[in-house]
Each structure stands twice: as structure tokens, then as C-alpha cells.
Amino acid sequence: MTLPHAKVETPVFMPVGTVASVKAVPQHLLEELGARIILGNTYHLYLRPGHELIRRMGGLHRFMSWNRAILTDSGGFQVFSLNELRKVTEDGVQFRSHLDGGAHFFSPEHSMDVQIALGSDIAMAFDECTEYPADYGRARTSLDLTLRWAERSKRHFEAHKHERPWNQVTDHRAQGSDISPDAMPSLFGIVQGGMYKDLRRESAERLVEMDFPGYAIGGLAVGEPREVTREMIARTLEWLPKDKPRYVMGVGYPDEIEEYAKMGVDMMDCVLPTRAGRHGLVFARDADGNVVRMNIKRKEYAEDAGPIDASCGCMVCARYSRAYLRHLFVAGEPLGLTLNSLHNLHFYLATMERVRLELETAS
Amino acid sequence: MTLPHAKVETPVFMPVGTVASVKAVPQHLLEELGARIILGNTYHLYLRPGHELIRRMGGLHRFMSWNRAILTDSGGFQVFSLNELRKVTEDGVQFRSHLDGGAHFFSPEHSMDVQIALGSDIAMAFDECTEYPADYGRARTSLDLTLRWAERSKRHFEAHKHERPWNQVTDHRAQGSDISPDAMPSLFGIVQGGMYKDLRRESAERLVEMDFPGYAIGGLAVGEPREVTREMIARTLEWLPKDKPRYVMGVGYPDEIEEYAKMGVDMMDCVLPTRAGRHGLVFARDADGNVVRMNIKRKEYAEDAGPIDASCGCMVCARYSRAYLRHLFVAGEPLGLTLNSLHNLHFYLATMERVRLELETAS
């Protein structure tokens, strides 16, 4: 399928551009890698540089010079994962900035306002990401709150979605944008329910009743065993309409994204390719096509003149040796972060592109 | 003129690739910027990853995938500037690694061996960089030592220059290299003499007697007033042959490189464009063409939608705003280092290219 408002064919992998940058990678190289849509973190952008500043600058696309699609998360995940002193009420979440300890408050309405100010193409409903492990009662309570927040998110989003930043500026987009400036953004609902199938089912069915243009499966990859992740995804996919994008948030390793895409997941995002790259972890395939994780700083690569992956078509493997990448990492050279991240992003994007073509051929 | 063994027209600015990387800039972007020759630091490469490793990998060009020309310094400057506990004898310098405190020894012969192992296209004689201020007697003693070391450097270099790394490997260079693999590297002498004209003259004349294929003017930009730097350069240029490359080491600000190039300097290198970029300092020109230094982190740029320099033709100014670059810097995003460095390198390279064309037209 094609995502709303964007020339993005699914299944698609979305690199994470946390705070208006896919870390260490210039935008034109991200384009060369073939990234069609990236994710912006609402929590981080709200704190720095601030959504109002980005709105005044014409929106996130224009601010960071990225003309392709942008999905924003709701801020919920970071509010819950980066804040030990958060206070959840029916109205929303009181939390402290991880940067300076300042007090902030996020409600479903505020999350929508922030995402609209950013100019997101696909926004996410504000949800409580249920911690793991959570007992049944806790998962039930959390799910119910998330469903009420989903309704409030939708109501507020529909009433204000036309207030996109470029409605206030004229030269709002560079030529060649993938997205029509007249297109309205979409809001996706998020399935929660912990690791309980009946709660996941209830969450999915009640969201489908609300009729979102797309659905995310949230609250996974939070520490549960991988078989549980897979089972939760497999079951939840059954309860979501196949003609709407289905998005699994925050996963995963390259073999996972391939597996989930083949199960029917349309969209995924993960910080792993860039975060792992910055820690010297790069992905390759062995002769059988299985994913191999290489720690580039290992001594065995010190004089290895071969590329990370001889079968890889990326600009890093075409030019640089393992020995050089190891040296950059060991010497703390910033170029190492960029090259490792470029390779890993290519690895993810090429994997997803291959799966997409395989699925297209099979159908 | 054209530098030996390389399609490099002078005057030329050489970005500094300290430890086999021009910091934060991928090689293919350095090529796009038009860099024809870069500098490698012998001291840093000797310590990490080690010149023997680089030799076994086929030389620095191949190790870092840089097919254009490379000049290496002698290691002398870092030995003297990064080591408080160094011990200088007639034979050479005992020093401690700034990385782990390990004991090392550099002699003129060893510096030549390291530079030959790196596969340098233009090597530099091992010199003592006279500290500033230095009294006449100290500058005299230091100069005499440097001249004896220049003779030893030349003798050893001529005897061993054919031992370049790729004489031991077959597929030693990618296609499209600027440098013929059969070409022998060149060794330049270095004029010292502190801030004393008669010593500078003696240094220049005795080096010219030794007949080097090019001459550097060292020991400047070490803390002396700029008028003194200019005067030392102006006078020393008179005593060096005009048909051989004349290289001023380690300078300077953009207006300085323009000024010195117009005085007759053929080659310059400086860490400033990349180092300043990493500290958020970017160069621009005002309406009169004068160089302006901008501190990109200043609040006044927070919502500035314009590029660093509207008259600049670089890929950064074509795409990114001051507001975005400020945000990247304030948020500590690694992309900021890359973009600021790219802009500054373009600024230096474009300045030098303009001066080269002006001089060509005038002659």
C-alpha cells in the first residue's frame, strides 16, 4: 500500500531523527540511501528547540530541510521512559525535563498541538506505554486510559489539523516535496494492552471503532522475550484492518524487521541502526544470508582490508575497509559514527526494500 | 605551478586529516568540495593506528580511501607541542605519547621511515619547531640543529624513498588516482630561525644549497603578533626560489591565507576550518567581501532562516539555515560538526581557488 499523503510504499522502515537529525547523517545522504519517511520525537523536539519555534520556522520539514514524509510519535514513550518522577492523572502526565529538570505537562490535546505545530504528516495518538512486566489489572487500567486518551487525541486533532505551520507562511516547502502542501495530516491510534491477548484484542477493536486511518502496535520491545513480541504482533495484526497501515513501533534487529514485515506489518522505526553504529556495532550477512552483528572495534579487524559486508551495495562498503572503520572508532573520530550509521541505515532500508519486492512478487 | 607528482595547482589550501580523517567529513564530500591534497599528521598516525600497520595496508591513501595527494608533516611539531617532558639530543627527541604516556623516540631517520611507510607524496624534513618567544642564542642553536637534521632527513629519505608501501602490493590504488604509482615522493626542507630575519635568511640559504624540491616556512603562528608572521613570510619568500613550491605551515584565518597566497605562498594547511567548525565558529563574508566570524550558537540565530552566507555556494548554505545549524550545535548533534566543517572547508578552498584564478589572470 501507499501511506497517506506521501509517496511511501510499504512495508517501510523509518530512520529515527530524534531531535531534527538522524544522528550523524546529512539529509542528502539519507535521501541517497533511499529513506522516504523519517520519525521525529515529539518529546525531544518539544523541549529543544521547542515546537513553537519550529512552527514559526515553517514546520519540521522546512526547519531541518527534509522534504519527504515525517511521522511524529506522541511524546508518550519518552515521557514515561525518561522520567522517574512523572505523575499520571486522567488529564495527562506531569513530568520533568531530562535536560534541566523543568516541570512540563503533556495531555492528549497538548501532544496533538505539538505534533500539528511540527507539521507532522502522520501523528500518533497520545498513549500510556504500559511498562513491562505489568500485571493484568495494571495493564487493564493503563489500556482504558489510553483508549480515553485516543478519543481525546482524535477529537482535538480533527478540530485543529488544518493549523499546519505552512498555512501561515508562503514559501513553505522546497520544490520536489513528496507531500502535497494541501494534504491534511493523519492521526494513527496505538494498540496497547501489555502482553495480554484479550486486552490487545479489546484495544484493537475499540480503536477500529474510532476509525483511524492507520494503527500502531505500541508497548512492545520493552523487555519481553522476543517470542512474546512476535506473538503479540501476530495476534494484533489479525484484529486490525488490512487496508490500513499497521505500524509496529520501536523494533528491532534486521531479522526482526524482515520477519514482521512478512507477517504483514507495514511500518517500523528503530534507533538501532544509528545507535548501534555509534557504538561500533555494524550489521552484515553471512554466506547464507543470515544477519551477523559485527563489533567493528575488535582487534581481528585491525588489518582487514575487506568491506563490512562484501554483498552490501552501500557507499561505505564500496569505499572503506573494516580496518579503516575500526581505526576511526578506536581513535574516536566522528567520521566513524557517520560511516557506521550510513552502513546500518542502508542495511535496514535495503532489507525492507528487498522484502517489499518479494511480497509484491508473491502477491 | 603544479606540485610534484600530483595534479595540484597552486596556491592550494590543504585540509588537515590528522589521524587519517579530515574530522567529521566523509572522503567523497571532501572530493566534492574540491580538495586536491590533504595533510596527514605523522605523529598521530605513528601512534595510532601505527605506520607499520598503514604500510601493511598499502599506505595511507589506500587505508583511508583517498586517491588524491597527501602531504605528511615530520611529526616534529606535535612532538614539541604535545610533550612537556620531551628530551632533545643531537640524535633526536625522546618523548611520551599523549595517549598513554609510553616512551618513544623520533630521529630524522625515523621520521623519514614513518613518512615513507605512510606512502606520503610530499614528506617534510624533521625539524625542531623553535618555541616563541626564543632569544637569539636559543633560536640560533635550534636552527643549527634543524639544519643538521635536514641533511640527515634528506640523506635517509633519498636512500629509502623507493620503499613505498605499494611497491609491496599489487592492487595498490583505486582507478582515478591523481598520483602515478611510479612517481617518487618529494621531501621538503623547513626554514626555521625564530623571529630573527638573519637566522631565517641563513636557514633558507643553507636549505637551498641542499637543493630540496620544495621549501616550508615553519615555526610561525606560534603566538607571535600577526605583523611579525607576515614580515617573516615576506622576507623568507625572497630567499627561496620562486620555481619551487613554498609552503607556510599551520596558518591561518581566511584573510591570512588570501594575503599570504597573494604574497607568493604556494601551499598552506590549517586545522582551523574543521576545529572552528566543531566549536560552532563559521566563516562568512560581509557585503564588502570581508571575512566575518559567526558564532553559530548565538541566540540571535535561533530563528534565522537564512544560510550562513548568502553568497556562499557550498552544499550547507544551499540547504540549511542558521537556525537549524544553531539547533544542531546547541543540542550537541554530531551532524552540526559535519555541516559546520563542510562549510568552513568550502570557504577556505573557494577562497584559495578565487585567489588562484586572480593570480592567473594577473600574470
Side-chain angles (χ1 to χ4, degrees):
Chain A
M1 74 178 65
T2 307
L3 295 189
H5 318 316
K7 298 169 195 153
V8 180
E9 296 300 316
T10 64
V12 68
F13 177 77
M14 304 183 287
V16 178
T18 315
V19 57
S21 168
V22 175
K23 285 195 191 297
V25 179
Q27 275 75 319
H28 80 284
L29 297 185
L30 209 51
E31 290 169 353
E32 283 182 29
L33 287 172
R36 305 302 309 182
I37 176 170
I38 61 174
L39 182 144
N41 285 128
T42 291
Y43 169 88
H44 290 293
L45 293 164
Y46 158 80
L47 290 178
R48 197 165 57 179
H51 61 295
E52 286 298 343
L53 183 148
I54 290 180
R55 186 184 59 70
R56 288 192 298 272
M57 298 302 294
L60 184 56
H61 297 79
R62 191 183 180 203
F63 179 65
M64 68 181 287
S65 187
W66 176 255
N67 289 327
R68 300 181 181 180
I70 294 177
L71 179 146
T72 50
D73 62 9
S74 70
F77 181 78
Q78 278 78 23
V79 163
F80 290 99
S81 63
L82 295 178
N83 288 276
E84 306 233 323
L85 297 173
R86 63 185 181 271
K87 191 183 162 199
V88 183
T89 62
E90 184 64 30
D91 195 26
V93 190
Q94 180 89 43
F95 64 97
R96 293 194 172 277
S97 159
H98 74 289
L99 296 174
D100 62 8
H104 298 271
F105 183 77
F106 258 35
S107 65
E109 291 77 14
H110 186 54
S111 170
M112 296 308 106
D113 286 339
V114 175
Q115 292 182 76
I116 291 166
L118 295 174
S120 176
D121 299 297
I122 300 176
M124 303 302 298
F126 190 66
D127 63 331
E128 186 182 52
C129 183
T130 314
E131 66 281 3
Y132 178 83
D135 67 28
Y136 190 86
R138 161 69 191 137
R140 157 102 263 160
T141 309
S142 173
L143 166 63
D144 287 338
L145 181 65
T146 285
L147 285 167
R148 291 192 296 275
W149 284 359
E151 283 184 351
R152 285 168 54 190
S153 293
K154 192 167 196 293
R155 197 179 316 123
H156 195 82
F157 185 82
E158 293 303 326
H160 296 276
K161 66 181 180 185
H162 59 281
E163 297 166 9
R164 302 189 80 181
W166 44 89
N167 293 341
Q168 286 111 58
V169 294
T170 47
D171 59 334
H172 60 281
R173 287 285 177 90
Q175 293 301 308
S177 168
D178 280 4
I179 306 124
S180 160
D182 304 325
M184 280 297 122
S186 301
L187 178 70
F188 285 14
I190 305 179
V191 177
Q192 290 287 353
M195 304 303 157
Y196 302 99
K197 285 176 216 168
D198 63 324
L199 295 182
R200 287 272 166 187
R201 179 171 192 157
E202 181 178 337
S203 174
E205 288 176 349
R206 286 175 60 187
L207 287 172
V208 172
E209 281 169 26
M210 292 183 214
D211 191 23
F212 285 91
Y215 300 90
I217 305 176
L220 295 180
V222 288
E224 77 282 7
R226 186 160 158 185
E227 311 82 68
V228 176
T229 317
R230 187 193 302 113
E231 173 69 6
M232 287 296 137
I233 293 171
R235 300 306 301 272
T236 307
L237 284 172
E238 295 172 24
W239 305 313
L240 292 172
K242 288 188 171 44
D243 61 341
K244 299 279 177 68
R246 297 175 298 184
Y247 161 31
V248 175
M249 308 180 79
V251 295
Y253 280 96
D255 51 333
E256 290 180 285
I257 66 161
E258 175 161 359
E259 182 180 10
Y260 303 152
K262 287 177 173 170
M263 286 163 57
V265 173
D266 299 293
M267 304 163 68
M268 283 172 273
D269 76 281
C270 196
V271 294
L272 196 56
T274 43
R275 183 174 291 167
R278 295 197 305 283
H279 288 90
L281 192 72
V282 291
F283 298 101
R285 290 193 187 276
D286 64 18
D288 299 324
N290 297 314
V291 176
V292 180
R293 304 178 202 174
M294 292 172 53
N295 192 333
I296 201 67
K297 69 171 171 280
R298 287 179 63 172
K299 184 81 180 166
E300 67 184 282
Y301 302 128
E303 304 195 22
D304 188 335
I308 296 172
D309 183 341
S311 69
C312 176
C314 86
M315 64 184 87
V316 179
C317 288
R319 179 153 196 166
Y320 302 103
S321 67
R322 293 171 173 180
Y324 182 60
L325 295 170
R326 176 186 190 266
H327 163 67
L328 291 178
F329 191 83
V330 170
E333 282 293 311
L335 181 58
L337 314 179
T338 298
L339 297 183
N340 294 345
S341 298
L342 280 169
H343 168 80
N344 282 346
L345 285 169
H346 172 87
F347 195 90
Y348 271 68
L349 293 164
T351 295
M352 203 60 120
E353 180 67 7
R354 175 175 53 75
V355 172
R356 194 178 70 72
L357 293 173
E358 284 174 18
L359 293 174
E360 221 171 61
T361 309
S363 70
Chain B
M1 77 177 62
T2 307
L3 295 189
H5 319 316
K7 297 169 195 153
V8 180
E9 296 299 316
T10 63
V12 67
F13 178 77
M14 304 183 284
V16 178
T18 315
V19 58
S21 168
V22 174
K23 284 194 192 298
V25 178
Q27 275 74 319
H28 80 285
L29 297 184
L30 208 52
E31 288 168 354
E32 282 182 32
L33 287 172
R36 304 301 311 180
I37 176 170
I38 61 174
L39 182 144
N41 285 128
T42 291
Y43 169 88
H44 289 294
L45 293 165
Y46 158 80
L47 289 178
R48 197 166 58 181
H51 62 295
E52 285 300 342
L53 184 148
I54 290 180
R55 187 184 56 71
R56 288 191 298 273
M57 299 302 295
L60 184 56
H61 297 78
R62 191 181 180 204
F63 179 66
M64 68 181 287
S65 187
W66 176 257
N67 288 328
R68 299 181 181 180
I70 294 176
L71 178 148
T72 49
D73 61 9
S74 69
F77 182 78
Q78 279 78 23
V79 163
F80 289 100
S81 64
L82 295 177
N83 289 275
E84 307 231 322
L85 297 172
R86 65 184 179 273
K87 190 183 163 200
V88 183
T89 62
E90 182 65 31
D91 195 28
V93 191
Q94 180 90 42
F95 63 96
R96 292 194 171 278
S97 160
H98 73 290
L99 296 173
D100 62 9
H104 297 270
F105 184 77
F106 258 34
S107 65
E109 290 78 13
H110 187 54
S111 170
M112 295 308 106
D113 286 338
V114 174
Q115 294 182 73
I116 291 167
L118 294 174
S120 175
D121 298 299
I122 300 176
M124 303 302 296
F126 190 67
D127 63 329
E128 187 182 52
C129 184
T130 314
E131 68 280 1
Y132 178 82
D135 66 28
Y136 190 86
R138 161 68 192 140
R140 156 102 264 160
T141 309
S142 174
L143 165 62
D144 287 337
L145 181 65
T146 285
L147 286 167
R148 290 191 298 274
W149 284 358
E151 284 184 350
R152 285 167 55 190
S153 294
K154 190 164 198 292
R155 197 178 317 122
H156 195 82
F157 185 81
E158 293 301 328
H160 296 275
K161 66 182 180 184
H162 60 282
E163 298 165 12
R164 302 189 80 183
W166 45 87
N167 293 341
Q168 286 109 58
V169 295
T170 47
D171 59 338
H172 59 281
R173 287 284 178 90
Q175 292 301 310
S177 166
D178 279 6
I179 305 124
S180 160
D182 304 325
M184 281 297 121
S186 300
L187 178 70
F188 284 16
I190 306 180
V191 175
Q192 291 286 352
M195 305 303 159
Y196 303 97
K197 284 176 218 166
D198 62 325
L199 295 183
R200 288 269 166 192
R201 178 171 193 158
E202 180 179 338
S203 175
E205 288 176 349
R206 286 177 57 189
L207 286 171
V208 171
E209 281 167 27
M210 293 183 217
D211 191 23
F212 286 91
Y215 300 91
I217 304 175
L220 295 179
V222 287
E224 78 281 7
R226 184 159 159 184
E227 311 82 69
V228 176
T229 316
R230 187 194 301 112
E231 174 69 6
M232 286 298 137
I233 293 171
R235 300 307 301 273
T236 307
L237 284 172
E238 295 172 23
W239 304 313
L240 292 172
K242 287 187 172 45
D243 60 342
K244 299 278 177 70
R246 298 175 296 183
Y247 162 31
V248 175
M249 307 181 81
V251 294
Y253 280 97
D255 50 333
E256 288 179 286
I257 67 160
E258 175 160 359
E259 181 179 13
Y260 302 152
K262 287 177 174 170
M263 285 161 58
V265 173
D266 299 294
M267 306 162 68
M268 282 172 272
D269 76 282
C270 195
V271 294
L272 196 57
T274 45
R275 182 174 291 167
R278 294 197 306 282
H279 289 90
L281 192 74
V282 291
F283 297 101
R285 290 194 186 276
D286 64 17
D288 300 324
N290 297 316
V291 177
V292 181
R293 304 177 203 177
M294 292 173 52
N295 192 335
I296 201 65
K297 69 172 172 279
R298 287 180 62 171
K299 184 84 181 162
E300 67 183 283
Y301 302 128
E303 304 195 21
D304 187 335
I308 297 172
D309 183 342
S311 69
C312 175
C314 86
M315 63 184 90
V316 178
C317 287
R319 178 151 196 168
Y320 302 103
S321 66
R322 294 172 174 179
Y324 182 59
L325 294 170
R326 176 186 190 267
H327 162 68
L328 291 178
F329 190 82
V330 170
E333 282 294 314
L335 182 59
L337 313 181
T338 298
L339 298 182
N340 294 345
S341 298
L342 280 169
H343 168 80
N344 282 347
L345 284 170
H346 172 87
F347 194 90
Y348 272 67
L349 292 165
T351 294
M352 202 59 118
E353 180 67 8
R354 175 175 53 73
V355 172
R356 194 178 70 75
L357 293 173
E358 284 174 19
L359 293 174
E360 222 171 61
T361 309
S363 69

